[in-house]
Amino acid sequence: MSTNTIRYYEEQQCSVQWRSFLGAFSAEFASKGEPGDLRAFMHQLGRTMAAGFHVDDGSSLQALEACMNKVWSEMNWGWVELVEEADALVVAHHASPLKVAFGEQALEWSPALLEGVYAQWFDGLGMDKSLRLTQRAGVFEDGQLFVFDLKKQSEEPSYFTRR
């Protein structure tokens, strides 16, 4: 996809009326703490946000993915792909509006919002408590793709740190 095409789609993801506010919010927010603290806050914000949506069909990965994508489609927040691997369930969120809404400099902490949303949805479906959702480090694809792994952890990791 060309840079102009990507820029066009990015511009469609965040309403013009919110861009100045969200840019200022992001700059102020980032100045108030360390990235780990900002991620913790965004993760909790995502959990709170997720409680307002009904994602309750966990009968199959396809049904769950469709349920999640219905929410994202209604919000114009991109889409998710759920991919089962040998040791993890991969949650790949495409076309996220986070880069446009908060700016490229916020990509260190803003994806924790999505992490919190997905963690809450999985918890709401009765996810095994030994499983943890964590963001894969370094997977940004122009700030439009964020990848999370849901897998069993041998130790108690923080929800708030990227691998």
Side-chain angles (χ1 to χ4, degrees):
M1 198 177 297
S2 76
T3 302
N4 287 336
T5 303
I6 291 170
R7 190 173 303 123
Y8 170 78
Y9 284 116
E10 285 179 345
E11 293 298 315
Q12 304 305 308
Q13 289 185 300
C14 185
S15 173
V16 173
Q17 71 188 37
W18 285 101
R19 287 188 195 158
S20 292
F21 168 78
L22 290 172
F25 174 85
S26 177
E28 286 299 316
F29 185 68
S31 75
K32 303 299 183 215
E34 297 299 316
D37 295 333
L38 302 178
R39 286 187 60 80
F41 180 82
M42 293 300 281
H43 180 97
Q44 186 55 49
L45 184 62
R47 283 183 169 274
T48 301
M49 186 174 143
F53 303 116
H54 299 288
V55 173
D56 55 4
D57 187 353
S59 62
S60 69
L61 281 184
Q62 294 80 13
L64 180 57
E65 183 179 281
C67 217
M68 291 173 170
N69 279 327
K70 183 176 185 308
V71 171
W72 296 135
S73 177
E74 289 171 357
M75 294 175 55
N76 195 23
W77 271 45
W79 69 93
V80 66
E81 287 182 284
L82 302 178
V83 180
E84 195 169 10
E85 291 186 349
D87 66 341
L89 176 66
V90 176
V91 179
H93 190 107
H94 300 267
S96 164
L98 295 174
K99 177 183 167 189
V100 175
F102 295 115
E104 191 164 346
Q105 72 283 355
L107 291 176
E108 187 173 6
W109 51 263
S110 63
L113 177 77
L114 294 172
E115 185 180 83
V117 168
Y118 289 117
Q120 184 64 39
W121 284 344
F122 286 122
D123 284 351
L125 291 167
M127 175 180 74
D128 182 332
K129 298 298 182 196
S130 69
L131 299 176
R132 294 290 178 258
L133 185 73
T134 54
Q135 182 183 357
R136 278 190 195 171
V139 181
F140 287 104
E141 192 177 289
D142 289 326
Q144 296 291 301
L145 170 65
F146 301 101
V147 177
F148 306 92
D149 292 311
L150 179 66
K151 64 183 183 178
K152 192 171 192 88
Q153 299 293 316
S154 56
E155 55 191 59
E156 191 68 24
S158 169
Y159 272 111
F160 314 119
T161 56
R162 289 189 292 156
R163 294 186 302 116

